[in-house]
Amino acid sequence: MKVRIGQDATDPEAEAVARVLAVHVGDDVEVYVGDEDTPSATASRPQSAEAVRADGLEDEPLEPTDREVALREEIDDILEGGPEKYRQRLPEQDKLFVRDRIDLWFGDDGLKFEDGKFANFDAWHPDSPAVEEYDPDTRLPADGLITGAGDFEGRTVHFMANDFTVKAGSMAERGVEKFLRMQERALKSGRPALYLMDSSGGRIDQQSGFFANREGIGKYYYNHSRLSGAVPQICVLYGPCFAGAAYTPVFADFTIMVEGMSSMAIASPRMVRMVTGEDISVEDLGGPSIHTRHSGSADRIADDEQHARELVAELIGYLPDNADEKPPRVDSKRPTNSPQGIDAVVPEEPDRSYDMHEVIDRLVDADSFFELKPAYGPEIITGYARIDGRPVGVIANQPIERAGAIFPDSAEKAAEFVWKSDAYNIPLLYLADTPGFMAGSQVEKEGILEQGKKMIYATSEATVPKQSVVVRKAYGAGIYAMSGPAYDPESTLALPSGEIAIMGPEAAINAVYANKLAEYDDEDERAERERELREAYREEIDAHRMASEVVIDEIVPPSDLRSELIQRFEVYEDVDKQRPTKKHGTVL
């Protein structure tokens, strides 16, 4: 191949052209400079990859073009976030800049990719032809919403994070599109969705572009509903989330609020004042205490951003990536306290209080109990733990809280916990010690029947392996809600202290023998007769009678309860439970 180049070319330039062309066209090349009749340089066709390397071509790497350099400069600018004045305010609020927050969650190498850095680029960036005059106070990098995927504690998750420096983390058309895509990709990939929320809601001045549209902000909650029970959704709140932004935390499976930083409500204090005249602080309206103690909308309170990450790191260890997988197992650990102490913890008298945590600590692997909603409906304890390395969901009555009676809040809490655990294939352990559902006019107003129905329904519908243990008393419908014999547990076990009855001895004696006891004039004689009747009644309802009549499967020595549960969960690991074919139940 012969090539002629310009008269001004030097010999080294002619040689370089010859070498490159010989490689490119795969032929011998002669290069002529100007009008010369003899070639100034020649190059032979390379015979192999080794010949190319020997010719020194790899010593001349190509450099990034100006176009790539310009692109990287634009990306660096986007990564700086919103207006500098808003970023400077973050330390005063004890919160991290969103990019630093993402670094905290995923580390230096954990962020796999980000989607939509250039969202709404044409609305603000000086390099955009659409921007006539750049105003640094109107920066909208990534449209204030970051989405992508990353490795978190060995698990790949999809995530979103609001940038509070961009219009207080508010949401608009481009950011909404990114949020929706993140949700849809989590559903497609079957991986958990992580929401790092710090948003004041939708941008009212731009609502026509995203509010009621088919692919607008309302689609968030449609997608939340589709994701529910398919992949775990975990939300952490880092600031005030009002209106539409407050629905993501309540749709998520698990929500963490940060002390002194988080709040959520259907409307801001200013809007509440305008609509109702009520003057209230954001903390009293929707702070962490409100939602962990009174509404039940949040699961835990974190001390700070680092603690929030630690809580989620612990929580996700109990959950599978999706509903088609089993939760991950780890190596077994001995309990914090010996199971041999269980019988000493549980009082013989049915009305004496004790802390059920002391029983749990003797059954589960050391340091494995992760309690959820501890301050909401505290009459029932709910949380995840491991028994012999196997994740289990624990539902336990708490005798030190109003004698362990089931109130509307605690029934709702238990129902939701059972429902979530069943969705993610986590076996359930019920520890019963309850006088039953609370009675009275106040709990009727609070919906004790409605919430109790939901707890019983969730227990009935759960298809994961269930073990029910009557620790001491299980009176009234309490035995139903705690997955007693009629509710398809794999086993109903009892400790020697266990009792099952329509009601406790005191109530039963009063109901049946009140008139006869009233005939006793001598108080000592009446008290003695009451004692005799109570003892006789307790003999009728104790664990031995229940075992004799095969109401329960076994009475277990308390010191052996942990090993018994290990064996039973193992045997029933793959139990197949069938439910009637139907579209869905009607209990919500």
Side-chain angles (χ1 to χ4, degrees):
M1 178 180 181
K2 296 181 180 180
V3 177
R4 193 171 295 277
I5 60 177
Q7 184 68 41
D8 296 334
T10 64
D11 288 345
E13 289 173 338
E15 292 172 359
V17 170
R19 289 201 308 272
V20 170
L21 283 175
V23 172
H24 184 68
V25 301
D27 200 356
D28 296 338
V29 175
E30 295 179 350
V31 177
Y32 297 81
V33 175
D35 298 328
E36 293 182 1
D37 295 328
T38 57
S40 298
T42 61
S44 300
R45 174 182 58 191
Q47 299 301 312
S48 63
E50 287 75 11
V52 174
R53 287 192 288 271
D55 204 31
L57 289 179
E58 287 193 342
D59 295 332
E60 299 178 9
L62 297 177
E63 296 293 332
T65 64
D66 290 343
R67 179 172 57 185
E68 180 176 344
V69 171
L71 177 65
R72 290 188 179 279
E73 289 175 351
E74 291 169 349
I75 292 173
D76 288 342
D77 190 23
I78 290 169
L79 297 180
E80 290 299 312
E84 179 62 25
K85 61 182 180 181
Y86 297 130
R87 186 166 174 177
Q88 290 177 352
R89 295 176 187 175
L90 294 177
E92 301 172 6
Q93 302 166 348
D94 292 326
K95 65 170 64 176
L96 295 173
F97 173 52
V98 67
R99 299 284 176 181
D100 297 330
R101 180 174 296 147
I102 291 171
D103 288 344
L104 171 66
W105 279 82
F106 301 114
D108 295 334
D109 303 318
L111 181 62
K112 285 185 171 294
F113 57 79
E114 179 180 340
D115 290 318
K117 283 191 188 78
F118 285 84
N120 222 7
F121 182 81
D122 285 343
W124 66 277
H125 200 276
D127 289 351
S128 170
V131 177
E132 296 180 0
E133 184 176 353
Y134 173 62
D135 182 356
D137 287 339
T138 60
R139 292 170 55 86
L140 299 169
D143 206 27
L145 187 77
I146 300 166
T147 61
D151 284 336
F152 174 67
E153 299 296 318
R155 309 279 288 277
T156 298
V157 301
H158 295 268
F159 75 91
M160 60 73 58
N162 300 104
D163 184 350
F164 200 70
T165 68
V166 178
K167 292 186 176 293
S170 60
M171 296 172 287
E173 184 175 2
R174 306 295 182 237
V176 167
E177 175 65 25
K178 291 166 62 175
F179 192 112
L180 296 176
R181 291 184 188 181
M182 184 278 292
Q183 291 180 306
E184 290 160 3
R185 286 162 180 165
L187 190 60
K188 286 180 180 179
S189 71
R191 298 185 185 278
L194 176 64
Y195 305 93
L196 306 179
M197 293 289 296
D198 193 359
S199 174
S200 58
R203 293 180 202 157
I204 297 175
D205 59 339
Q206 300 177 34
Q207 62 178 296
S208 61
F210 67 86
F211 176 62
N213 311 46
R214 290 177 66 88
E215 299 298 321
I217 199 169
K219 194 68 172 282
Y220 282 14
Y221 317 116
Y222 173 82
N223 283 351
H224 277 308
S225 301
R226 293 178 67 214
L227 286 163
S228 179
V231 300
Q233 300 182 82
I234 301 174
C235 180
V236 181
L237 266 63
Y238 292 101
C241 293
F242 300 128
Y247 279 105
T248 286
V250 296
F251 266 99
D253 295 315
F254 307 97
T255 296
I256 308 295
M257 298 183 76
V258 182
E259 188 67 70
M261 187 183 299
S262 304
S263 62
M264 58 177 169
I266 197 68
S268 68
R270 183 172 62 177
M271 185 63 67
V272 169
R273 191 180 312 113
M274 187 188 321
V275 173
T276 70
E278 181 184 12
D279 193 359
I280 190 169
S281 70
V282 67
E283 190 74 16
D284 291 337
L285 178 65
S289 179
I290 296 298
H291 290 301
T292 56
R293 292 181 176 276
H294 303 289
S295 76
S297 295
D299 293 278
R300 291 285 291 267
I301 301 175
D303 298 331
D304 52 31
E305 295 212 24
Q306 176 65 39
H307 187 213
R309 186 197 185 282
E310 292 169 0
L311 289 174
V312 176
E314 188 174 354
L315 170 63
I316 202 170
Y318 297 98
L319 306 173
D321 280 346
N322 56 66
D324 293 328
E325 298 180 1
K326 290 184 177 180
R329 291 192 66 171
V330 300
D331 293 337
S332 179
K333 292 182 180 179
R334 293 178 181 273
T336 300
N337 297 310
S338 171
Q340 294 182 358
I342 290 176
D343 203 36
V345 167
V346 181
E348 183 176 351
E349 300 87 348
D351 55 353
R352 273 187 58 193
S353 68
Y354 66 98
D355 188 352
M356 184 62 82
H357 287 103
E358 294 190 35
V359 175
I360 295 172
D361 286 345
R362 287 169 164 80
L363 292 177
V364 305
D365 295 6
D367 303 319
S368 75
F369 187 55
F370 185 85
E371 189 166 357
L372 294 164
K373 300 186 180 181
Y376 181 70
E379 304 84 20
I380 291 181
I381 298 168
T382 56
Y384 293 121
R386 294 186 181 88
I387 296 180
D388 195 35
R390 182 193 308 277
V392 297
V394 178
I395 307 99
N397 303 116
Q398 175 56 295
I400 63 171
E401 295 286 349
R402 299 198 277 196
I406 303 173
F407 281 73
D409 286 354
S410 50
E412 176 194 31
K413 163 180 160 179
E416 291 185 359
F417 179 77
V418 169
W419 208 231
K420 290 173 189 175
S421 301
D422 185 56
Y424 298 120
N425 306 314
I426 302 173
L428 294 171
L429 171 62
Y430 290 80
L431 300 174
D433 190 347
T434 178
F437 287 90
M438 188 60 186
S441 61
Q442 184 59 40
V443 292
E444 292 297 340
K445 294 175 184 176
E446 295 170 353
I448 185 65
L449 291 171
E450 280 297 307
Q451 300 304 334
K453 170 188 72 175
K454 293 175 183 178
M455 182 177 178
I456 291 173
Y457 178 79
T459 292
S460 303
E461 284 292 290
T463 60
V464 294
K466 296 182 293 185
Q467 300 291 336
S468 178
V469 180
V470 181
V471 176
R472 188 172 57 169
K473 59 186 179 292
Y475 298 157
I479 187 62
Y480 305 158
M482 296 301 288
S483 196
Y487 289 82
D488 199 22
E490 275 47 71
S491 315
T492 302
L493 309 176
L495 300 186
S497 50
E499 298 177 343
I500 300 176
I502 292 176
M503 60 184 69
E506 295 293 341
I509 300 308
N510 184 63
V512 177
Y513 298 104
N515 292 334
K516 291 185 176 180
L517 289 171
E519 296 174 359
Y520 284 84
D521 294 327
D522 187 288
E523 291 186 6
D524 291 338
E525 289 184 9
R526 184 169 61 249
E528 176 62 20
R529 181 55 180 156
E530 285 180 1
R531 185 190 64 77
E532 292 172 354
L533 290 170
R534 278 196 303 272
E535 289 181 358
Y537 183 81
R538 292 191 69 184
E539 288 177 1
E540 290 292 319
I541 65 175
D542 81 348
H544 285 80
R545 176 59 61 86
M546 294 298 117
S548 176
E549 297 179 359
V550 202
V551 174
I552 61 175
D553 293 291
E554 192 61 87
I555 305 174
V556 180
S559 300
D560 295 344
L561 181 57
R562 172 179 160 88
S563 58
E564 184 90 11
L565 291 171
I566 288 173
Q567 298 301 325
R568 290 178 181 269
F569 276 123
E570 181 179 342
V571 168
Y572 293 110
E573 180 177 9
D574 297 315
V575 65
D576 182 21
K577 297 186 181 182
Q578 300 298 320
R579 294 290 181 260
T581 301
K582 57 185 176 181
K583 186 174 182 180
H584 55 67
T586 61
V587 177
L588 274 177

